[in-house]
Amino acid sequence: MDQVRRAITSGDGTVISYSIFDGAQPAIVILHGLAGSSREFEPTARVMSGRMVILIDQRGHGFSTRKPADTSRGAFIADAVRVIEAESSGTVDLVGQSMGAHTAMLVAAARPDLVRRLVLLEANEGGGSPEEHSAIGDYFRSWEVPYADRETARAALGGSPLAHAWSADLEERPDGLYPRFDPEVMEATITDVAVPRWSEWESITAPTLVIYADGGMFTDEQKTRFVARGAHAIRVDLTSASHDAHLDAFEDWISALTSFVNAP
């Protein structure tokens, strides 16, 4: 499957980088989670038999502008819409994980004309306390960068699939390896996700698949409440999976995703 990387400039001057895997439309557009990048979903793109797949580095992440001035939810929505309108000839199947799922949810609510089907991996309406968001920023600030090499980074970040993805995605500079995100931007981004978006979630008209992991970050009560309030939502649960199930439960993730987006 051919892959090309492109970029588009947002209304505020932020450069949004994305990869396109060639194939038939309707395209599948995938949005990664906080502090991730589109590269996490390249294995997913490669197995989406015959479909065009667009992987977006959301602002502040990956190859997109590292320190955007605007980290509001509205800016993230506008970026995704801009890429979809530039690259798709019609509606798309919109997929997101964690913070990316929150973005995808808001895009589907704001622009129902662009979204054929919606897939949310480890998603909710928003939430979290200022203390939790500050702790996320503190964690990323605690990374002892630059790392001398990827082996050193893996040892420091731990053995989880997400840590391996972070290590693989580090940016090489003359003095060592750095993350492709800024801790302050990550804290600001997740802080805006805290505002509950129930009205947007309840307004979505696209058929929606909500995927949860048994080792994910949400309680059973949160999962049940969220899915129940979706107008056209169905739920799939993955076992032996984490919040990053696209990395550590890949086969089950692909099975759930392809069954839904390829349905008649």
Side-chain angles (χ1 to χ4, degrees):
M1 179 183 290
D2 293 335
Q3 176 186 4
V4 296
R5 181 166 285 278
R6 296 178 182 168
I8 198 166
T9 303
S10 71
D12 66 358
T14 299
V15 174
I16 303 300
S17 179
Y18 56 97
S19 290
I20 298 180
F21 291 75
D22 192 30
Q25 298 200 39
I28 300 169
V29 178
I30 305 181
L31 303 174
H32 60 79
L34 185 78
S37 83
S38 63
R39 294 176 68 184
E40 291 177 27
F41 285 93
E42 288 181 1
T44 296
R46 292 192 179 99
V47 299
M48 298 308 295
S49 181
R51 295 283 294 276
M52 173 189 283
V53 181
I54 303 172
L55 306 181
I56 301 176
D57 280 336
Q58 296 183 85
R59 57 176 53 215
H61 297 77
F63 290 93
S64 293
T65 296
R66 187 71 46 86
K67 295 183 179 181
D70 189 352
T71 57
S72 69
R73 295 281 73 204
F76 280 78
I77 294 166
D79 294 341
V81 168
R82 191 177 294 269
V83 173
I84 291 169
E85 291 184 328
E87 300 295 347
S88 175
S89 61
T91 58
V92 303
D93 292 338
L94 186 57
V95 180
Q97 184 258 341
S98 191
M99 182 271 290
H102 194 265
T103 307
M105 175 185 77
L106 297 181
V107 171
R111 292 294 305 270
D113 58 307
L114 295 180
V115 181
R116 188 184 77 126
R117 289 191 173 105
L118 178 65
V119 179
L120 307 177
L121 173 60
E122 282 285 294
N124 75 344
E125 73 286 352
S129 67
E131 292 77 17
E132 289 171 328
H133 301 147
S134 179
I136 290 171
D138 288 343
Y139 169 66
F140 291 129
R141 284 186 286 270
S142 76
W143 288 19
E144 296 182 356
V145 296
Y147 296 112
D149 50 44
R150 297 190 195 279
E151 183 177 350
T152 302
R154 284 192 293 270
L157 298 175
S160 72
L162 178 59
H164 281 276
W166 275 332
S167 300
D169 204 30
L170 291 170
E171 177 186 9
E172 187 171 351
R173 301 181 192 172
D175 60 337
L177 301 174
Y178 289 81
R180 294 186 185 276
F181 56 82
D182 177 81
E184 309 305 326
V185 173
M186 295 303 96
E187 185 173 340
T189 297
I190 199 62
T191 297
D192 209 39
V193 176
V195 179
R197 303 284 188 152
W198 284 117
S199 61
E200 289 92 337
W201 170 232
E202 292 169 347
S203 75
I204 291 172
T205 56
T208 303
L209 174 65
V210 183
I211 304 175
Y212 285 118
D214 58 353
M217 67 180 293
F218 301 111
T219 67
D220 288 338
E221 180 182 358
Q222 288 175 311
K223 297 174 187 178
T224 299
R225 182 174 67 247
F226 183 71
V227 175
R229 292 179 66 168
H232 303 280
I234 61 173
R235 173 178 167 181
V236 168
D237 290 272
L238 306 184
T239 59
S240 301
S242 75
H243 185 64
D244 301 287
H246 61 293
L247 299 175
D248 61 22
F250 184 75
E251 296 301 328
D252 290 340
W253 153 247
I254 290 298
S255 177
L257 175 63
T258 55
S259 295
F260 185 72
V261 300
N262 291 335

